[in-house]
Amino acid sequence: MSSSKQVKNRKGKAMDHNKININSPISNKLIGQVDAMSKEEVDSIIGKARKSWPEWNNKSSSERMKYLYRAAELLLERADELSDLMVLEVGKDKKSAYSEVVRTAEMIQSTADIAKSLNGGMIPADNFPGGAKGKFAITKRESLGVVLAVSPFNYPVNLAASKIAPALVAGNVVVFKPATQGSLSGIFLANVFKEAGIPDGVLSVVTGKGSEIGDYIVTHAGIDFINFTGSTEVGQHIASQSRMIPLLMELGGKDAAIVLEDADLELAAKHIVAGAFSYSGQRCTAIKRILVLESKAEDLIKKILVRLGELKVGNPIDTKDGIDVVPLISQNAADFVEELIVDAKEKGAKVLFGGQREGNLIHPTLLDHVTTDMRVAWEEPFGPVLPILRVKSMEEAIDLANQSEYGLQSAVFTTDMNKALEVAEKLEVGTVQINNKTERGPDNLPFLGVKNSGLGVQGIQYSIEAMTRLKSTVINL
Ligand code: NAP
Ligand code: G3P
């Protein structure tokens, strides 16, 4: 909800400055406000970023690394304060929020470390037909210019810094658009970089609803690269209108847990429940469907039900310990999840656990006998609902997994490594986890989605490469 407020600019000219109220998804109480920035303000920010790029880019890599090391130190010092804010702003429990901040500080530090080893090469040309003796190329990586970093609500610190840090260390400057519900945490993070000494204009924040100012930002002539994490719907919208500039996109997912006949069912149940319900399933890499061999379904379900009964459900403010299932980010988000549950029930699914809702808190819900005519078999709930689809063979499981429009990750549970590798080979996803829940971390690993789950590869080294280009200089002696 926006509210109007008269402010005066430096020439004393009254300016209308819309503000966006940020209310906590836990209590719906107002916790802060951010500017709904105008196009003129976006122009000014991007213009300032472009002007600051040459000086930043001309610093040595080792100079730029110093800023990252300092930012990582400061972030750790402020982990308690920032994680408290994240609990209020995105409803993440304190333990998960705190570990996200620590993980991010480690990622920023590792980004500087990895940047040390990034180098170019020398390619001899005379070993190629027609290549003259003494002809060779020297290659190096160069920054692109102004990187637009757009992040989602669910990891407001990690999924912002995982764009900002690699971009900066490579010599780019960054315009950062946080998710509106996550802007306060994003601004806190940007201020940590500023306190670390990042010069004005090198990292700036644009706030405002993506639905209002987003198109203007992504099509702005001053942007040289778009690094987006968010829903497939928004990602496709951005891709459909962006100019000929490189994109890096991490989008939605419908990660499957494939449980084969020889699986360790205790291990599978442990990872499935953790993977599906931590942070209420609001993770792109959450397990969002189980494809289990019919012969193993009952035994697996028994083990899953035991673990579902152990999940902590409720308000993260009430406890400092981990809470697995917290209120969803918005009423709309909860409405959507409820729609999927109702649709499945109407079409014959059986609710084995959960199904209750209090406001935007939905209890962990396990649906059995889910069939492919149900929406929950295909759509991304981004909430604590897990459908079980029973299959007759490994081949059927692979086929069903691959029918999804998404291709982020899949998990395969089996004690036969050859079979695991055979399944991994056939799955149309970016990453296959063998005997583990689907997950992005640790942040140095390659992280990518195929099909409607993304474009390009994240992960520290991969992100640095994605946000740079090669420069080849050919020597002719
Ligand atoms: P979202 O609604 O797509 O928003 C993502 C970001 O895009 C937000 O900053 C949003 O700003 C901005 N945005 C919205 N419309 C825009 C436009 N027209 N132009 C430019 N930016 C625009 O996603 P979310 O609800 O924050 O996050 C949940 C989704 O993200 C899920 O689908 C999840 O799977 C996906 N996700 C994927 C990954 C991954 O690594 N693959 C990680 C996390 C989340 P506003 O907040 O102001 O609307
Ligand atoms: O959904 C965001 C993604 O970054 C999740 O990270 O490590 O919890 O799978 P992770």
Side-chain angles (χ1 to χ4, degrees), residues 460-472:
I460 298 172
Q461 171 194 334
Y462 307 92
S463 298
I464 296 175
E465 286 172 0
M467 294 185 278
T468 52
R469 64 175 174 81
L470 215 56
K471 166 63 78 59
S472 173

Side-chain angles (χ1 to χ4, degrees), residues 254-259 268-278 280-281 285-292 300-301 303-305 307-308 311 325 337 340-341 344 349-355 362-371 374 376-389 413 438:
K254 188 71 179 178
D255 293 6
I258 297 173
V259 183
K270 175 186 147 201
H271 282 292
I272 285 170
V273 171
F277 295 101
S278 63
S280 305
T285 46
I287 289 178
K288 296 172 186 152
R289 51 186 171 150
I290 299 173
L291 308 178
V292 58
L300 176 66
I301 287 169
K303 295 178 181 301
I304 288 177
L305 288 172
R307 289 178 177 274
L308 286 178
L311 288 177
V325 180
V337 174
L340 297 182
I341 294 172
K350 193 169 167 224
V351 180
L352 298 184
F353 192 93
I362 292 186
H363 287 244
T365 302
L366 185 64
L367 299 174
D368 193 7
H369 297 293
V370 171
T371 48
M374 300 173 191
V376 73
W378 307 108
E379 295 182 40
E380 179 184 49
F382 227 57
V385 58
L386 183 59
I388 301 170
L389 290 90
F413 293 94
T438 44

Side-chain angles (χ1 to χ4, degrees), residues 152-188:
F153 79 83
N154 64 334
Y155 282 70
V157 174
N158 185 265
L159 286 173
S162 61
K163 300 168 176 55
I164 294 166
L168 292 178
V169 82
N172 300 290
V173 294
V174 176
V175 172
F176 167 38
K177 158 70 181 95
T180 295
Q181 196 73 30
S183 295
L184 300 175
S185 305
I187 290 166
F188 190 111

Side-chain angles (χ1 to χ4, degrees), residues 163-329:
K163 300 168 176 55
I164 294 166
L168 292 178
V169 82
N172 300 290
V173 294
V174 176
V175 172
F176 167 38
K177 158 70 181 95
T180 295
Q181 196 73 30
S183 295
L184 300 175
S185 305
I187 290 166
F188 190 111
L189 173 73
N191 288 338
V192 166
F193 276 100
K194 194 176 177 70
E195 198 179 334
I198 295 282
D200 258 359
V202 171
L203 169 61
S204 28
V205 182
V206 171
T207 53
K209 290 187 180 165
S211 55
E212 291 168 10
I213 197 68
D215 288 1
Y216 187 73
I217 301 170
V218 300
T219 56
H220 199 285
I223 298 295
D224 298 300
F225 185 97
I226 298 174
N227 192 331
F228 173 81
T229 299
S231 63
T232 292
E233 181 197 356
V234 172
Q236 288 176 328
H237 173 70
I238 290 172
S240 70
Q241 57 174 346
S242 64
R243 306 157 15 251
M244 204 168 96
I245 58 173
L247 302 173
L248 186 51
M249 300 209 142
E250 297 295 350
L251 306 176
K254 188 71 179 178
D255 293 6
I258 297 173
V259 183
L260 301 180
E261 272 175 327
D262 56 6
D264 173 339
L265 296 182
E266 198 55 53
L267 181 80
K270 175 186 147 201
H271 282 292
I272 285 170
V273 171
F277 295 101
S278 63
Y279 190 39
S280 305
Q282 296 177 112
R283 291 168 52 242
C284 59
T285 46
I287 289 178
K288 296 172 186 152
R289 51 186 171 150
I290 299 173
L291 308 178
V292 58
L293 268 288
E294 179 70 50
S295 60
K296 289 296 174 185
E298 295 305 329
D299 290 345
L300 176 66
I301 287 169
K302 282 193 192 101
K303 295 178 181 301
I304 288 177
L305 288 172
V306 169
R307 289 178 177 274
L308 286 178
E310 295 162 356
L311 288 177
K312 298 190 192 101
V313 181
N315 178 339
I317 300 281
D318 295 345
T319 167
K320 292 292 179 206
D321 297 331
I323 288 250
D324 306 290
V325 180
V326 294
L328 294 183
I329 197 67

Side-chain angles (χ1 to χ4, degrees), residues 11-32:
K11 294 177 187 144
K13 177 174 173 300
M15 275 173 68
D16 265 339
H17 219 311
N18 283 334
K19 292 284 185 186
I20 302 171
N21 290 338
I22 308 293
N23 292 41
S24 173
I26 301 166
S27 60
N28 203 28
K29 287 204 179 88
L30 181 70
I31 57 173

